[in-house]
Amino acid sequence: MNLAENKLLIAALGGVNEIGKNMYMVQYGNDIVVIDCGSKFPDESLPGIDLIVPDISYLLENKDKVRALIVTHGHEDHIGGIPYFLKQLNVPVYGAKLTIGLIEIKLREHGLLRDAKLHIITADSKVDAGKIQATFFTTVHSIPDCLGIRFATPEGNVVHTGDFKFDMSPVKGPFPDLHRMAEIGMQGVKVLISESTNAERPGFTPSERMVGEHIFDAFAAARQQVFISTFASNVNRVQQIIDAALETGRKLVLLGRSMINVVTMAKELGYLSFPDDLVIGPEETERFPSDKIAVLCTGSQGEPMAALSRLASSRHPHVEILPGDTVIIAAGAIPGNERNLAQVIDNLYVLGARVIYGKGTASGMHVSGHGSQEELKLMLTLMKPEYLIPVHGEFRMLYQHRQLAESVGVMPEHVFIIQNGDTVEIKQGNVALGPKIHSGNSLVDGLGIGDVGNIVLRDRRLLSSDGMLIIVTTLSKTEGHMMAPPEVISRGFVYVKDSEELMKDILEIVNSAMNDLMETKTTQWNLIKQTLKDQVGQFIYKQTKRRPMILPIIIEI
């Protein structure tokens, strides 16, 4: 299916009406360029699911037209899905040096690095993809090496901002390239695809430099061990933590595989600077006084298996949080992770730790990497787009972004608030909503990608809520009668020793149903199983108002 014959097609495959799992597409004729391929964590409605990545069915249907995957920066919600993408569609991947370094870590873990076609780009690079040419401009976010993209097409210029804020005093350059942005705006922007995360927040987002000052103050005030958790990919924040450890004479312990991998890679590439003797292993902490130890760990989102969660529940083999230790959570909770993080914080308080957490001025330990209202308006003013597609946010954020655009002169009918799978098409200068394409979530469960669907999830929810009842019957293969009394087994439904009367009644229902089926010479397994499910299910619901999964098993002898 080719929807962009002689026209320009812009589509969101992820990242609209949600936070995370970003993926966008620009197509002209037989040329498709994909922007970002992120992931997000599941909520409690998806039991057993490890990760959510974009559904790339449309791209697979048009795989001969996909020319490149361009990545704006190295955060998980923009690179987390790349290993699963490349397993199905091995196209060239373009990103800045740190971004490619972070992608390499992921691909190495998945055994894909050898076959991947990775290309490092800068703000001065050009990527030719048939009739689409991509050029770039420097932006500032909460991770180094962030790029916005300008696509030159036969239908005009399309700009994707990536994630950005206008931080004019970044921890470690470069500065946002306002001159290049203004130049692109002067050349004409047909459509601006711009992030909307902080569209509800007035003013400007504070500088990341503010966080470094608060981290140093907390390190200096601490009288015992300091534990600090942040995103491993937030390399500038990690450098601030390293600087605080050096200035206060503390040795630094790294906990968490991703933290160790990213710090190692970032130092090799020159994004982190520290003496080799600063970092010690967790088993070496006993050699130093407690006021000379700082622990940098993963788990700022309360992930159950991450280092901070294990420390909070006293499950780490080498390092222990003691009463009076300082624990700093230098990150904000991603929507959906609040409950897990709150539990970790509670556990830390139980251990007697001094816990510093919270966004912005609440603790000074975290500022957003996304531009607030004045910065979104500044981007619109620099780019001067004819049309705007707000992305990277929930619906209320996209709506607020539209109002901001109107306040700086963008006509209301020129703002398209779309959903994942919606397209905006441009033909001969006319811009309108186009046909919907397939999009959605691919669920990652272990090694499986997309093999867990609605039916499997329904069964998992049923098992998690009301448990399972297994009915085992043994039939004669030749004579068709029961060879032994049926057996009923409860798993997560009721505790058998406390519900003997109920289990006895269920067994009588099973016996009665089986005797009736044997008298009618019924030998069809499907009919036997369905009869047992119906009769036992009705009885259980009447008695308990529960609906456990009922699994009849027939053994023929």
Side-chain angles (χ1 to χ4, degrees):
M1 160 169 82
N2 186 6
L3 299 178
E5 198 69 50
N6 298 320
K7 61 186 175 185
L8 180 65
L9 196 73
I10 301 168
L13 299 176
V16 178
N17 281 335
E18 62 182 346
I19 300 294
K21 190 175 68 68
N22 290 280
M23 176 180 269
Y24 310 95
M25 179 193 84
V26 176
Q27 178 177 1
Y28 187 89
N30 292 322
D31 302 311
I32 295 176
V33 178
V34 182
I35 309 155
D36 293 338
C37 182
S39 63
K40 69 176 183 178
F41 292 113
D43 58 26
E44 58 193 18
S45 69
L46 300 171
I49 299 303
D50 300 320
L51 204 63
I52 303 170
V53 297
D55 186 325
I56 61 171
S57 298
Y58 178 80
L59 299 176
L60 292 174
E61 291 171 10
N62 295 273
K63 60 183 179 181
D64 294 336
K65 303 180 181 69
V66 182
R67 307 294 174 224
L69 167 62
I70 300 177
V71 186
T72 59
H73 65 283
H75 277 152
E76 283 295 310
D77 57 336
H78 295 260
I79 70 169
I82 289 178
Y84 308 99
F85 178 91
L86 294 183
K87 286 177 184 178
Q88 304 172 78
L89 199 61
N90 191 12
V91 302
V93 179
Y94 297 86
K97 187 166 69 169
L98 178 63
T99 305
I100 293 296
L102 293 167
I103 293 170
E104 284 180 347
I105 292 173
K106 291 187 167 297
L107 297 185
R108 189 177 293 113
E109 292 176 349
H110 284 260
L112 299 173
L113 185 56
R114 177 178 296 179
D115 297 326
K117 295 168 280 190
L118 306 179
H119 303 275
I120 294 175
I121 56 175
T122 69
D124 297 320
S125 299
K126 292 182 180 179
V127 175
D128 287 312
K131 294 186 177 180
I132 302 173
Q133 184 186 71
T135 55
F136 307 93
F137 56 94
T138 301
T139 60
V140 172
H141 183 39
S142 55
I143 183 174
D145 273 7
C146 294
L147 295 172
I149 312 169
R150 191 264 303 269
F151 296 100
T153 79
E155 287 289 350
N157 293 327
V158 175
V159 172
H160 188 292
T161 65
D163 290 4
F164 73 92
K165 66 177 181 179
F166 286 100
D167 188 344
M168 305 314 294
S169 55
V171 174
K172 186 177 181 181
F175 295 89
D177 194 343
L178 276 69
H179 297 290
R180 178 75 64 88
M181 297 180 206
E183 182 183 347
I184 292 171
M186 293 297 290
Q187 292 170 356
V189 175
K190 190 72 175 179
V191 178
L192 176 67
I193 307 167
S194 181
E195 76 133 313
S196 311
T197 311
N198 278 351
E200 297 175 293
R201 296 186 184 180
F204 287 84
T205 300
S207 171
E208 184 76 21
R209 192 175 293 272
M210 179 195 82
V211 177
E213 297 167 0
H214 285 92
I215 290 173
F216 171 77
D217 291 343
F219 272 54
R223 296 291 172 259
Q224 294 179 199
Q225 297 179 109
V226 174
F227 295 79
I228 184 164
S229 180
T230 191
F231 293 110
S233 60
N234 194 340
V235 175
N236 288 339
R237 184 79 50 84
V238 172
Q239 183 66 61
Q240 291 175 317
I241 293 165
I242 289 169
D243 293 343
L246 286 169
E247 292 175 33
T248 56
R250 294 176 181 266
K251 294 294 184 180
L252 190 65
V253 179
L254 303 178
L255 296 183
R257 185 183 62 182
S258 62
M259 185 64 73
I260 294 170
N261 288 342
V262 171
V263 169
T264 302
M265 179 273 298
K267 187 182 184 189
E268 289 175 357
L269 296 181
Y271 290 89
L272 290 177
S273 175
F274 57 90
D276 292 338
D277 63 355
L278 173 69
V279 177
I280 62 172
E283 68 283 352
E284 299 179 76
T285 54
E286 294 180 357
R287 295 172 40 212
F288 298 89
S290 63
D291 64 346
K292 297 300 179 183
I293 295 294
V295 178
L296 172 57
C297 63
T298 57
S300 62
Q301 298 304 299
E303 305 97 313
M305 299 306 295
L308 184 62
S309 292
R310 288 186 287 134
L311 289 167
S313 54
S314 302
R315 290 184 290 117
H316 197 279
H318 299 294
V319 183
E320 184 180 6
I321 295 176
L322 301 173
D325 287 347
T326 299
V327 180
I328 303 166
I329 300 175
I334 295 172
N337 295 341
E338 294 91 349
R339 183 179 296 180
N340 286 343
L341 184 56
Q343 184 61 59
V344 168
I345 292 170
D346 278 353
N347 291 344
L348 292 170
Y349 276 117
V350 169
L351 294 177
R354 173 176 173 256
V355 189
I356 305 173
Y357 64 98
K359 294 183 180 181
T361 55
S363 68
M365 295 300 174
H366 178 68
V367 295
S368 176
H370 303 273
S372 297
Q373 290 181 350
E374 296 306 313
E375 288 150 289
L376 297 181
K377 289 194 288 186
L378 177 55
M379 180 63 79
L380 287 160
T381 303
L382 290 169
M383 290 295 174
K384 299 180 175 63
E386 286 186 55
Y387 294 85
L388 170 69
I389 302 176
V391 297
H392 201 301
E394 295 167 355
F395 186 85
R396 66 185 187 278
M397 303 167 188
L398 308 182
Y399 186 86
Q400 185 68 44
H401 199 169
R402 180 171 71 180
Q403 292 184 316
L404 294 173
E406 292 173 16
S407 73
V408 295
V410 179
M411 290 187 286
E413 61 271 21
H414 283 194
V415 181
F416 292 92
I417 296 182
I418 61 174
Q419 299 187 32
N420 292 331
D422 287 346
T423 66
V424 174
E425 63 178 27
I426 307 170
K427 188 172 184 179
Q428 297 178 351
N430 296 316
V431 183
L433 284 174
K436 199 170 182 70
I437 63 175
H438 187 86
S439 70
N441 294 332
S442 282
L443 307 179
V444 179
D445 184 1
L447 297 177
I449 308 170
D451 57 348
V452 176
N454 290 331
I455 294 174
V456 174
L457 288 172
R458 181 200 64 193
D459 289 346
R460 289 183 180 182
R461 293 186 195 109
L462 190 62
L463 286 168
S464 67
S465 61
D466 290 327
M468 176 171 64
L469 201 69
I470 304 168
I471 302 170
V472 182
T473 58
T474 307
L475 302 180
S476 168
K477 192 170 185 178
T478 55
E479 299 179 17
H481 60 75
M482 285 193 295
M483 299 286 290
E487 185 179 359
V488 179
I489 304 167
S490 170
R491 290 291 182 268
F493 168 51
V494 292
Y495 183 51
V496 174
K497 288 186 178 179
D498 292 341
S499 307
E500 291 182 356
E501 201 63 38
L502 176 63
M503 296 299 287
K504 181 180 176 183
D505 291 342
I506 292 172
L507 194 55
E508 288 180 3
I509 296 288
V510 173
N511 266 312
S512 175
M514 287 301 299
N515 288 330
D516 291 344
L517 290 165
M518 295 304 99
E519 285 181 12
T520 59
K521 306 295 184 184
T522 301
T523 58
Q524 297 178 19
W525 282 25
N526 287 341
L527 180 58
I528 295 173
K529 289 181 177 182
Q530 194 59 51
T531 301
L532 292 175
K533 283 183 179 180
D534 291 344
Q535 294 194 18
V536 173
Q538 289 171 12
F539 174 77
I540 288 174
Y541 185 74
K542 184 177 180 181
Q543 296 295 317
T544 67
K545 299 300 183 207
R546 300 182 194 172
R547 298 188 188 275
M549 178 181 287
I550 299 171
L551 182 63
I553 298 175
I554 300 173
I555 302 172
E556 276 193 336
I557 299 177

